[in-house]
Amino acid sequence: MDAMFSCLFFLITILSLFAGRGNAEKAQALFVFGDSYADTGNHDPYNQSLNLPWRRPYGLTWPGYPAGRYSSGKIQTDFWGDILGLPVPIPYELLKSHECKAIAKKITRVNFAVGGSAIFQAYGFITVAQQVNQFKKLIGGKQGFDSHKLSRCVVLISVAGNDYAAFLSRGYGSIEGLIDLVKPVVSGITETVKDLYLCGLRNFAVSNMFRLGCLPQIGRTSCDSTYDNIPALQMRLLTEGIESLRSNFKDISIIVSDLASATNHIFSNHRQYGLVDLFVPCCAE
């Protein structure tokens, strides 16, 4: 999965690029969609084939024990909550459990992100579009989600590379194939924003992808520059897509998290952040 990168990656990504840029005083709630860079516990802790983030060494840096996150510490969702001064959204799967049905009607912040998710069926998990359908079902049955409140909420969408990583893991290995995949992935991201906008949401933070070649399973001892054109192309197309959304949808606010630049910053200053061996993941698959 895509979160086996570094324990401090999320901290530098969010705080370096976005601290102080949001309208925290206006934010009512945080809704989250995407992959393991945002999942705070949507995999079943009792399913041995899915409960990896519920086992050690995950969570040892924060909160001190495994808590369903694909990291040894905080992830994007946690940092966005800190920045906006909002409680961390409740994992959707927790709301579905028997003991939480009674309080589900009162919840106005939900995390739908699932580790391993993507625009397409990358690893067989629920797609981002299917997560949006879960959101629609939730707000459709609740009086608390009126259009005014939704317009003052913030949405985090994390699509950080599972579509490409799954493509590579299947043994295709073609750079041309990866390049061909970028446009439909970006289209899927912009369609997600559109769909959520039509639901009444207005404020979006969309994560771009990191450098594929710096993943430990690809660049085992150094970053493999072979793949650098993929995040660069995705960033260009995503920027174009977002500009189109801004032109065509009234009152929409979107910022893009450039994970590739964040990766470069960390790798250039790794000792400053306490990273000794850049290619040893904090946790294990």
Side-chain angles (χ1 to χ4, degrees):
M1 293 184 187
D2 58 358
M4 309 302 175
F5 192 54
S6 79
C7 307
L8 300 180
F9 182 79
F10 307 104
L11 174 62
I12 308 307
T13 298
I14 300 302
L15 296 188
S16 292
L17 300 180
F18 294 111
R21 288 179 57 181
N23 291 321
E25 72 281 3
K26 297 180 181 179
Q28 293 289 304
L30 177 63
F31 291 102
V32 183
F33 304 85
D35 50 30
S36 55
Y37 279 77
D39 183 359
T40 55
N42 276 312
H43 277 303
D44 185 355
Y46 303 106
N47 185 328
Q48 288 296 315
S49 65
L50 298 174
N51 69 357
L52 190 66
W54 294 98
R55 291 183 267 145
R56 290 178 178 272
Y58 293 93
L60 291 187
T61 302
W62 182 92
Y65 52 86
R69 291 158 172 78
Y70 283 88
S71 173
S72 68
K74 290 185 176 183
I75 59 172
Q76 280 196 85
T77 302
D78 301 306
F79 288 115
W80 271 109
D82 291 344
I83 290 167
L84 296 170
L86 295 172
V88 174
I90 306 298
Y92 180 70
E93 289 300 320
L94 181 61
L95 291 184
K96 289 167 57 180
S97 67
H98 176 72
E99 63 269 21
C100 288
K101 285 182 179 178
I103 66 169
K105 295 180 181 179
K106 302 177 183 178
I107 296 296
T108 55
R109 61 187 194 280
V110 185
N111 186 344
F112 299 89
V114 176
S117 180
I119 294 300
F120 302 106
Q121 287 283 354
Y123 292 105
F125 298 111
I126 183 173
T127 65
V128 174
Q130 290 169 328
Q131 293 172 25
V132 172
N133 288 336
Q134 290 178 333
F135 170 76
K136 290 179 180 178
K137 182 178 178 181
L138 182 68
I139 65 172
K142 285 193 60 182
Q143 295 181 348
F145 290 107
D146 62 75
S147 58
H148 176 67
K149 287 184 179 179
L150 286 175
S151 70
R152 296 176 66 187
C153 293
V154 176
V155 179
L156 170 62
I157 300 173
S158 174
V159 181
N162 274 333
D163 292 290
Y164 309 113
F167 179 88
L168 291 172
S169 71
R170 293 183 186 120
Y172 304 139
S174 164
I175 295 297
E176 291 76 16
L178 283 173
I179 291 173
D180 290 340
L181 190 55
V182 175
K183 188 173 182 178
V185 167
V186 171
S187 294
I189 296 171
T190 55
E191 284 300 317
T192 298
V193 174
K194 262 194 236 180
D195 211 358
L196 291 170
Y197 176 91
L198 294 175
C199 291
L201 294 159
R202 294 293 181 266
N203 307 296
F204 300 87
V206 181
S207 295
N208 190 26
M209 62 182 293
F210 52 84
R211 291 179 65 190
L212 272 178
C214 294
L215 280 172
Q217 60 264 45
I218 296 177
R220 298 184 182 276
T221 58
S222 63
C223 291
D224 187 341
S225 61
T226 304
Y227 301 95
D228 282 356
N229 57 340
I230 305 302
L233 176 60
Q234 175 164 313
M235 187 62 177
R236 179 172 66 80
L237 295 180
L238 185 59
T239 300
E240 292 173 0
I242 285 174
E243 284 305 315
S244 177
L245 290 170
R246 287 173 178 152
S247 298
N248 291 293
F249 293 92
K250 182 181 178 182
D251 298 329
I252 195 169
S253 176
I254 313 174
I255 60 175
V256 179
S257 168
D258 185 358
L259 302 191
S261 293
T263 306
N264 291 337
H265 174 78
I266 292 172
F267 273 64
S268 298
N269 303 276
H270 63 280
R271 295 193 181 278
Q272 177 183 341
Y273 300 109
L275 297 175
V276 179
D277 191 334
L278 294 172
F279 295 91
V280 174
C282 65
C283 311
E285 294 194 25

